[in-house]
Structures are given as structure tokens and as C-alpha cells.
């Protein structure tokens, strides 16, 4: 085979030119550089803090100006395209360009976001979205937003950073008129209160040698606790695997919680943050972790202020010497960052795009180091399991299943919310025993057992145990245990077709775009199901390609709602 070679001398001659080309582009003036420096304040100029820098600029100016991006690139010694591609990837950043006269458009005086997630849509969010622009005035921008993690309070609006539960037009209008923009800090148990309840005694026992590493990991294995973010990997086994890797080891904690229908992590965080932090620190001790990164979704503004306050209190009054550094990172509105490797990319200051595996994050994770990745709730139960014994956790359960599950229940039930119930409970039992039943005059029509990606099942299948591995034979999975209930009454039916359309619009919008099966598949599927008649053969072909070829769980699971409609609700498609 003939090939064309490139002389080494030619390469060496072109290197200076390539270096100069990389530095080409907009040159930031001194005034803009000073403006960016002043905005960043004491934030270190580190590549991995790029998203934090972008937040600082976006918070101050209400937008990300291209001049500021160029200045930031110069300060961080990055190419402008690296900064721009990160800024434009995340929903909560608004990149703007100047006009021919060098003037930037003024940001909206105020932005109101209305959740268009399925639970909020069932509760009347569409009418709110239509009504608010008519009454709030031209200076207030009204946007639709994907699930904001408050499904039990549906419908939900967010005035700048202030969540409005059970929102109606008058409540939103009153907050806008009062210029109420920021969430209150939740009234959670603080460090003093937690210590008074025996908090951090377990951590002290671990550091004092009263408990040894092997017994702690063995207890976690015996408990049967599995990852509660959705993947369900055995917790004790994960600790053992990462501990076996070479030091230094890192930890990444996922509180992104972007799966529509899920709000359990926020529920517990708003009430007892130190129970989570103690579990985190015990895990760090057992695995030998040098540094911990906590990734919190940007929609949880009050929780971020709470965590910042309690982490500061913990550093000022550490229960044991030598605590690992805990760094709180702020998400920027990207559902894909709930995937563990995409979250790691985001913590490193990059676009949140999933990595190809192997290697797995336990081997090569954050900054190339072995990384223990956990969901918030998994760590929340560590203290109870170790203090009460692993059998306490394993003894709970129904229908042959073991453990406890925190179900985020929303939709058509009398009492939505987080319900701590035995693993393996059925949907019918969960609604009747923990949610006060269905609203008057309603009967069960269907339900989503695992959030947006977990599929949709009919009422006739409401007696399946809800747990890991029990739903897969039916084309569904429990994931993060986000249960959304659909009903019918004399005046309405919550059609599965409409639910699938809502969910597929979400997946199309949230696909990171890295792989074609997901990027093109979600868009094509959404377009196909908007038609009155569905091309079920083509949808089945698309589904199979997405499952087989997508890089991560988003594309692999996105077809579930559509497949379930075809399989379990064919009557909705007949004669249309």
C-alpha cells in the first residue's frame, strides 16, 4: 500500500505556526480581564473549576458574554473553543454575542421557569406556562424547564432561584412583585443538633480503632445495600473494589437527581445533612479516600446554601482529626450528568459527556485516579446500617425481597412525597398504605415504576414487587424508585401516549449529542410519536438500535416509555 510520509523536519518547522494559531481569536482587553478577575474573586484559576467560574460570571451579569469567555480562556490558559463548548453545553448558562456596535443585549430583568415534567403537566403546568407571560409583563421572561426535583409539590415554578411549590399564577405574580429571588435555607438538623443526637460517634469509633475496616466493609456487604441512584451495584462490594486500587483514591458523590419524578435526595438533605456527611466520611475512611467531590444539581439552591454552611461548621469543629477535603461542586442544568462518568467529566470542568468503558471509574475516574462514586441516599443509610447492624436493613422487605427503599411518589395520589417502605412492596400496596389512596372518583390506570426511563405499566400489573431485578422481565426497571401514578375518572384519562410524548421530548432535549443512536434516535422517536398513528415497526427498529449502540443509559433506556405504550396500551393506538 502506498502512503505519503511527512518529514520530521517539516513537522518541527510547523510547530511554532500551530502554536500561534491556537492562540488566535478574540483578544481580551485589560478592562474585560479586570472585570472577570473581580468577578472570580478568590476562586483559584484552575481548569477543573471552569464551570464554577462560568457560574460566577453568569450570576453577576445574568449572561455569559463572549468577551468575558475570551478573557476567562486567557486567564485559564485555555483555547477559547474549550471555554465556549463548556459554556454552551449546560442549560443554565446563557451565552450572548455583541452586536455590530459592540453592545451586548440586556439580560431579562427576571426569569421565571415552569417545570414541564410529567407530574407537573398532570397538575396543570401547561395552563400556568400559557398564563404567566400575559400577567408578568415584558421584562419577565417565562421559560419551560425540565423536572426541577419537586414533583410532590406539582406544579412548580422557579422565580430566579426561588422555588414556588403548588404554584398558581397569583403566587408567582406576588413573588415577582416582591422581587423574591432566592430560596430559603431549609430548617435542617445542624451540626450541634446532630452531635446532640449521637452523631459522628460511629466515625469516631472507626478512627479510634473500635471498628476495623474489614468488619465495616463486611457489614455493608451483609446488609445487601445496593446503589440507590439507579444502577443498584452492591455497596460493600464497591468499597472493596476501590480500596483494592492504588492510592491516591478519590470519591465523587452524585446529588444531581435529574431523573423526572425523583426527589428523595433533596427530601433527606433538607432534613438531616450530617447523616449523609457521616456516611460519606465513614466510606472515605474505609476505602482510604484522599479527597471528596460532592456534585449538587443547580436547581437545589437552598440545599447548596445549607451544605455550604454545614461543611464550614464541620471544618471548624471536626469530629476527628485529618478529615479528607470535601469540595462542593455546582451542576449547571444537564440531566446527563446523573450518569457517573458524565458527572466526573463535569467535575473536571468539561462538558458532561459519558466516557466509554472500560476502564471503569473505580479504576480510572476523577483526574485519572480510582474513584468511589456514590449516590446521596446510599451514603445516607451507612450510619443506620452500621449502628443497628446489617440484619436490621436486610430484615425489611416484602414478597421475598430484602431492604428498604425510598420511593419518590407523585402524580395522582392523595399524599405524594418520599415514602420509606419495604423493598418489594407493590404499587397497589404503596399507594393504599403510604399515599392515602387515590383521589376521590379516580381509579388506577397506569404507573411509572422508575421515573422517566423506567417504563410505563398498566393497572393490571400493579401487583409486581417493586425492587431491583423484578421489573426487567416486563421491559421496565425501578431505577431511583421514582413512582408516578396515572389514573382515570369520569372526566379524564391520563393517557400513556401523552406520558410517552412528554418523556421523549425530555430525552431529546437532554441527550448530550455524543453518540448518533441517542442524538438522532431520541429526535426521530419523538417526531414519530407526535403523529396520530404510530409506525410501530420503525419505532421497534429505532428502539433496538438505541439499546444496542448508545454509549450510556440515557439512549439505552429512552425507548422504554414508547415500547411500553406499544406493548401494554395498544388500545390507545387503535383506530387513531
Amino acid at each position: 500500500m502506498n502512503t505519503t510520509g511527512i518529514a520530521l523536519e517539516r513537522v518541527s518547522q510547523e510547530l511554532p505556526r500551530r502554536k500561534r494559531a491556537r492562540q488566535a481569536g478574540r483578544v481580551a482587553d485589560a478592562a474585560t480581564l479586570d472585570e472577570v478577575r473581580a468577578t472570580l474573586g478568590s476562586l483559584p484559576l484552575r481548569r477543573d473549576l471552569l464551570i464554577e467560574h462560568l457560574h460566577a460570571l453568569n450570576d453577576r451579569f445574568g449572561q455569559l458574554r463572549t468577551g468575558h469567555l475570551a478573557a476567562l480562556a486567557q486567564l485559564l490558559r485555555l483555547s477559547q473553543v474549550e471555554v465556549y463548548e463548556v459554556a454552551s453545553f449546560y442549560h443554565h448558562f446563557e451565552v450572548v454575542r455583541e452586536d455590530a456596535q459592540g453592545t451586548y443585549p440586556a439580560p431579562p430583568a427576571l426569569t421565571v421557569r415552569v417545570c414541564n415534567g410529567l407530574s407537573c403537566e398532570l397538575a396543570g403546568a401547561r395552563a400556568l406556562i400559557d398564563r404567566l407571560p400575559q400577567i408578568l409583563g415584558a421584562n419577565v421572561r417565562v421559560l419551560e424547564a425540565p423536572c426541577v426535583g419537586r414533583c410532590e409539590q406539582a406544579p412548580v415554578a422557579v422565580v430566579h432561584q426561588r422555588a414556588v411549590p403548588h404554584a398558581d399564577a397569583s403566587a408567582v405574580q406576588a413573588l415577582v412583585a416582591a422581587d423574591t429571588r432566592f430560596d430559603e435555607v431549609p430548617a435542617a438538623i445542624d451540626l450541634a443538633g446532630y452531635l446532640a443526637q449521637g452523631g459522628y460517634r460511629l466515625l469516631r469509633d472507626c478512627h479510634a480503632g473500635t471498628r476495623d475496616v474489614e468488619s465495616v466493609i463486611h457489614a455493608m456487604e451483609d446488609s445487601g445495600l445496593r446503589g440507590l441512584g439507579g444502577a443498584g451495584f452492591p455497596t460493600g462490594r464497591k468499597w472493596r473494589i476501590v480500596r483494592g486500587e492504588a492510592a491516591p483514591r478519590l470519591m465523587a458523590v452524585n446529588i444531581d437527581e435529574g431523573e423526572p419524578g425523583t426527589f428523595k435526595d433533596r427530601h433527606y438533605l433538607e432534613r438531616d445533612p450530617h447523616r449523609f456527611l457521616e456516611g460519606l466520611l465513614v466510606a472515605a475512611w474505609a476505602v482510604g479516600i484522599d479527597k471528596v467531590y460532592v456534585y449538587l444539581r443547580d436547581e437545589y439552591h437552598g440545599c447548596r446554601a445549607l451544605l455550604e454552611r454545614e461543611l464550614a461548621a464541620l471544618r471548624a469543629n471536626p469530629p476527628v482529626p485529618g478529615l479528607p477535603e470535601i469540595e462542593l461542586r455546582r451542576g449547571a442544568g444537564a440531566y446527563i450528568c446523573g450518569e457517573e462518568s458524565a458527572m466526573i467529566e463535569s467535575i473536571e470542568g468539561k462538558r458532561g459527556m459519558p466516557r466509554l468503558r472500560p476502564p471503569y471509574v473505580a479504576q480510572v475516574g476523577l483526574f485519572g485516579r480510582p474513584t468511589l462514586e456514590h449516590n446521596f441516599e446510599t451514603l445516607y443509610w451507612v450510619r443506620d446500617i452500621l449502628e443497628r447492624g446489617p440484619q436490621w436493613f436486610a430484615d425489611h422487605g416484602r414478597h421475598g425481597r430484602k431492604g428498604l427503599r425510598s420511593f419518590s411518589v407523585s402524580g395522582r395520589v392523595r399524599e405524594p412525597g418520599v415514602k420509606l417502605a419495604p423493598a418489594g412492596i407493590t404499587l397497589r400496596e404503596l399507594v393504599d398504605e403510604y399515599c392515602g389512596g387515590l383521589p376521590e372518583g379516580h381509579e388506577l390506570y397506569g404507573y411509572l415504576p422508575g421515573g422517566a426511563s423506567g417504563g410505563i405499566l398498566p393497572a393490571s400489573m400493579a401487583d409486581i414487587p417493586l425492587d431491583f431485578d423484578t421489573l426487567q422481565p416486563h421491559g421496565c426497571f425501578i431505577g431511583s424508585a421514582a413512582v408516578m401514578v396515572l389514573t382515570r375518572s369520569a372526566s379524564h384519562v391520563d393517557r400513556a401516549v401523552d406520558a410517552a410524548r412528554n418523556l421523549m421530548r425530555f430525552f431529546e432535549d437532554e441527550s448530550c449529542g455524543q453518540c448518533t443512536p441517542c442524538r438522532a434516535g431520541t429526535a426521530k422517536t419523538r417526531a414519530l410519536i407526535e403523529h396520530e398513528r404510530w409506525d410501530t415497526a420503525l419505532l421497534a427498529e429505532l428502539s433496538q438500535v438505541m439499546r444496542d449502540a448508545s454509549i450510556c443509559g440515557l439512549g439505552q433506556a429512552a425507548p422504554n416509555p414508547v415500547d411500553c405504550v406499544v406493548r401494554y396500551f395498544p388500545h390507545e393506538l387503535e383506530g387513531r
Side-chain angles (χ1 to χ4, degrees):
M1 181 173 65
N2 294 324
T3 60
T4 302
I6 301 177
L8 291 177
E9 293 81 5
R10 177 182 161 190
V11 173
S12 64
Q13 290 168 3
E14 288 188 354
L15 282 175
R17 186 191 311 169
R18 289 177 179 175
K19 186 175 182 181
R20 286 193 298 271
R22 188 180 179 189
Q23 294 172 342
R26 178 194 293 263
V27 177
D29 58 58
T32 304
L33 285 166
D34 288 344
E35 206 167 40
V36 170
R37 287 193 190 96
T39 302
L40 300 185
S42 61
L43 269 174
L45 291 173
R46 297 199 328 247
R47 171 67 174 84
D48 65 292
L49 290 173
L50 174 57
I51 293 172
E52 299 295 323
H53 299 146
L54 294 172
H55 271 305
L57 290 165
N58 203 72
D59 287 348
R60 177 180 173 186
F61 298 100
Q63 56 189 206
L64 292 176
R65 299 171 183 171
T66 49
H68 287 153
L69 296 182
L72 184 58
Q74 186 171 327
L75 292 173
L76 292 174
R77 298 181 182 276
L78 297 173
S79 68
Q80 292 180 26
V81 69
E82 287 180 272
V83 174
Y84 181 85
E85 70 179 8
V86 172
S88 58
F89 180 85
Y90 295 92
H91 296 318
H92 292 181
F93 295 142
E94 185 161 354
V95 180
V96 297
R97 297 179 180 276
E98 72 272 46
D99 59 22
Q101 288 72 43
T103 302
Y104 290 96
L110 186 63
T111 295
V112 175
R113 291 179 167 84
V114 182
C115 177
N116 64 6
L118 179 57
S119 294
C120 284
E121 186 174 274
L122 294 174
R126 179 54 50 190
L128 190 61
I129 291 167
D130 294 339
R131 176 64 176 149
L132 288 177
Q134 302 172 19
I135 65 173
L136 295 183
N139 290 331
V140 178
R141 179 177 58 172
V142 178
L143 300 175
E144 295 185 43
C147 182
V148 297
R150 297 179 177 271
C151 313
E152 85 281 25
Q153 302 168 358
V156 179
V158 182
V159 178
H160 188 56
Q161 296 182 0
R162 176 63 175 260
V164 189
H166 307 295
D168 58 28
S170 60
V172 175
Q173 190 175 27
L175 287 172
V176 170
D179 199 28
T180 305
R181 296 172 173 244
F182 300 99
D183 254 350
E184 297 176 346
V185 179
I189 299 170
D190 62 9
L191 178 58
Y194 187 71
L195 290 170
Q197 297 176 5
Y200 292 109
R201 183 184 302 142
L202 170 66
L203 181 66
R204 291 192 184 98
D205 287 347
C206 291
H207 279 258
T210 306
R211 294 175 182 264
D212 64 88
V213 169
E214 181 56 35
S215 67
V216 166
I217 294 179
H218 189 67
M220 296 302 297
E221 291 172 330
D222 286 349
S223 73
L225 178 68
R226 295 171 65 172
L228 298 175
F233 194 88
T235 301
R237 183 180 169 197
K238 182 182 286 190
W239 288 17
R240 194 176 295 281
I241 289 171
V242 179
R243 181 176 173 81
E245 297 291 328
R249 309 174 197 97
L250 304 175
M251 184 191 298
V253 182
N254 190 340
I255 324 181
D256 190 62
E257 199 168 46
E259 179 74 16
T262 310
F263 48 90
K264 61 184 178 59
D265 292 349
R266 174 187 56 80
H267 171 88
Y268 289 125
L269 178 54
E270 289 177 340
R271 289 157 176 78
D272 199 355
H274 285 280
R275 188 171 298 270
F276 150 70
L277 290 172
E278 184 166 15
L280 177 157
L281 290 168
V282 168
W285 165 81
V287 178
I289 299 296
D290 287 72
K291 186 172 181 179
V292 181
Y293 294 82
V294 177
Y295 190 86
L296 179 68
R297 72 178 305 193
D298 193 32
E299 290 84 350
Y300 291 172
H301 305 290
C303 289
R304 185 171 66 252
L306 171 66
L307 264 181
E308 287 172 343
R309 185 190 74 190
E310 295 308 310
L311 284 171
L314 198 62
R315 295 183 193 107
N317 185 26
V320 295
L323 289 180
E325 183 182 352
I326 303 174
E327 191 167 316
L328 181 61
R329 291 297 184 87
R330 178 180 173 185
Y335 167 70
I336 191 63
C337 290
E339 196 276 340
E340 62 177 7
S341 65
M343 176 188 67
I344 284 173
E345 289 286 295
S346 190
I347 292 172
E348 292 180 357
K350 306 170 188 174
R351 293 174 296 171
M353 288 190 165
R355 298 175 178 177
L356 290 171
R357 285 163 285 189
Y360 297 96
V361 299
Q363 303 161 312
V364 182
L366 264 171
F367 309 112
R369 299 309 310 161
T371 301
L372 178 67
E373 191 276 340
H374 268 313
N375 167 258
F376 169 93
E377 195 201 353
T378 308
L379 296 169
Y380 185 86
W381 291 114
V382 168
R383 176 186 168 188
D384 281 304
I385 288 172
L386 293 178
E387 288 187 343
R388 301 187 187 196
Q391 203 59 40
W392 164 80
F393 187 82
D395 279 349
H396 291 86
R398 289 189 189 178
H399 306 295
R401 312 304 297 180
K402 292 184 178 181
L404 288 165
R405 292 305 304 263
S406 298
F407 294 92
S408 302
V409 185
S410 63
R412 310 283 191 188
V413 295
R414 289 179 182 270
E415 300 169 8
V418 173
K419 311 298 178 180
L420 183 62
I425 194 171
T426 69
L427 183 282
R428 206 178 304 278
E429 293 168 340
L430 180 66
V431 170
D432 290 344
E433 297 176 30
Y434 290 83
C435 303
L438 300 174
E440 185 70 27
H442 289 237
E443 64 175 296
L444 184 66
Y445 180 69
Y447 67 102
L448 287 75
S453 54
I456 310 174
L457 292 173
S460 61
M461 301 176 71
D463 296 311
I464 300 171
L466 299 176
D467 197 15
F468 296 114
D469 312 319
T470 60
L471 295 159
Q472 280 86 336
H474 309 286
C476 297
F477 59 83
I478 193 169
S480 58
V483 175
M484 293 184 270
V485 177
L486 310 178
T487 64
R488 61 183 170 190
S489 68
S491 60
H492 91 286
V493 177
D494 296 323
R495 299 191 313 156
V497 164
D498 295 330
R501 286 171 177 156
N502 176 286
L503 302 174
M504 194 52 65
R505 288 193 294 268
F506 171 81
F507 289 130
E508 179 188 13
D509 192 51
E510 294 294 338
S511 173
C512 75
Q514 179 178 192
C515 66
T516 302
C518 179
R519 181 183 66 251
T522 53
K524 183 64 174 178
T525 302
R526 191 272 308 155
L528 285 171
I529 67 174
E530 293 293 346
H531 294 298
E532 288 297 303
R533 292 184 178 274
W534 288 13
D535 186 338
T536 54
L538 182 54
L539 285 169
E541 186 178 350
L542 266 174
S543 172
Q544 195 60 54
V545 170
M546 292 171 69
R547 294 179 191 283
D548 290 345
S550 294
I551 289 174
C552 80
L554 192 158
Q556 295 162 11
N560 282 345
V562 174
D563 290 351
C564 285
V565 169
V566 175
R567 182 176 180 181
Y568 298 119
F569 300 88
H571 58 278
E572 293 191 15
L573 303 175
E574 294 170 358
R576 296 181 58 79

